[in-house]
Amino acid sequence: MASVVAAEGAAAALRSVLSRAQQAAARSGRAPESVRVVAVSKTKPVGVIRGVYDAGHRCFGENYVQELIDKAPQLPEDIEWHFIGNLQSNKARALLAGVPNLNMVESVDDQKIANRLDRVVADLGRKPLKILVQVNTSGEESKFGVDPSGCVELAKHVKLGCPNLVFSGLMTIGMLDYSSTPENFKVCKELGIPEEQCELSMGMSADFEQAIEMGSTNVRVGSTIFGAREYPKKN
């Protein structure tokens, strides 16, 4: 019963988030469909995720490889999974093989993981995988991501040197000043990609409306939809 209540609550929260995201897009002069809400479901049970799916949502994000591999087969195949956590190169094959409907990896932050993903996609015969280059715009050592000064070089490497990957834009985490917006346009210009085709994953539960107003196309919203994280209790 508790899981049913949680699923219903999450579905209602999703509708509120979608409405707020659409209003933020309108305030910035953009169409509602220009913004994607990635419902971040880490630590949440499959039943609750299914409740949000049944409310019509299809885009979900996970942070941990094993958790996503466990959940994906239990849920409908038309879900578009985004992997948004730090990805170690030795787990790339398990992730891509275990989640056929993985739509995007948002957290590519060096050439090593880009090269590994490129090889695994080719080995598995998957269609080219969309990726975002993760940029550490806050300068916090605790955050992953390439330094802003290196993001153009990494984006070029993905676009020109990884034929099985599709460079789709940038992802930022932990930044406070939304400085990634001009950075995204700079990368697009360097690569000759129209700005409207360059995605920017920026903003989470606490700031997604402000991020959308500053140009974000993807917002990663977890606790506002699903409630507080549920980590196992330590003995």
Side-chain angles (χ1 to χ4, degrees):
M1 184 64 188
S3 62
V4 173
V5 172
E8 291 175 348
L14 168 76
R15 287 189 283 271
S16 172
V17 167
L18 292 175
S19 175
R20 289 165 61 189
Q22 290 168 0
Q23 291 170 24
R27 287 195 295 273
S28 60
R30 294 156 59 199
E33 58 270 19
S34 67
V35 176
R36 178 190 293 116
V37 172
V38 181
V40 180
S41 49
K42 68 177 180 182
T43 79
K44 296 301 175 180
V46 167
V48 175
I49 300 171
R50 182 68 196 231
V52 175
Y53 173 91
D54 288 343
H57 202 63
R58 295 294 180 269
C59 187
F60 293 83
E62 287 284 345
N63 290 65
Y64 304 113
V65 171
Q66 192 57 52
E67 187 174 355
L68 179 49
I69 291 172
D70 291 343
K71 287 177 177 177
Q74 303 178 62
L75 288 158
E77 294 179 357
D78 63 336
I79 285 180
E80 295 183 358
W81 289 106
H82 286 218
F83 187 78
I84 63 175
N86 177 251
L87 180 59
Q88 296 172 311
S89 59
N90 64 348
K91 294 184 178 180
R93 180 174 293 275
L95 176 64
L96 269 64
V99 189
N101 50 335
L102 181 69
N103 179 260
M104 177 181 282
V105 172
E106 295 199 10
S107 48
V108 172
D109 60 1
D110 61 29
Q111 291 190 13
K112 180 181 178 182
I113 188 61
N115 293 341
R116 180 62 177 159
L117 286 168
D118 185 61
R119 286 195 300 271
V120 172
V121 171
D123 290 347
L124 295 175
R126 287 180 57 122
K127 69 179 182 180
L129 176 69
K130 291 192 282 188
I131 69 99
L132 300 181
V133 166
Q134 181 174 343
V135 187
N136 184 348
T137 50
S138 67
E140 297 173 72
E141 290 187 8
S142 61
K143 304 294 184 185
F144 292 102
V146 65
D147 186 88
S149 64
C151 70
V152 171
E153 182 182 353
L154 180 53
K156 282 185 176 179
H157 175 76
V158 172
K159 185 170 174 59
L160 302 176
C162 299
N164 300 292
L165 303 181
V166 180
F167 172 75
S168 301
L170 303 182
M171 185 264 252
T172 69
I173 189 167
M175 72 47 221
L176 303 173
D177 60 359
Y178 299 92
S179 60
S180 54
T181 306
E183 198 72 50
N184 205 44
F185 297 152
K186 174 184 169 186
V187 172
C188 293
K189 185 176 180 180
E190 289 273 354
L191 271 60
I193 301 173
E195 286 182 11
E196 62 272 13
Q197 293 179 20
C198 213
E199 298 184 36
L200 176 57
S201 178
M202 178 174 78
M204 296 184 281
S205 285
D207 63 353
F208 71 90
E209 289 160 297
Q210 185 180 0
I212 291 169
E213 291 177 18
M214 293 298 295
S216 177
T217 63
N218 296 358
V219 290
R220 309 179 302 274
V221 182
S223 57
T224 300
I225 295 173
F226 291 103
R229 305 286 178 227
E230 298 169 6
Y231 295 102
K233 291 184 174 61
K234 295 181 179 179
N235 295 325

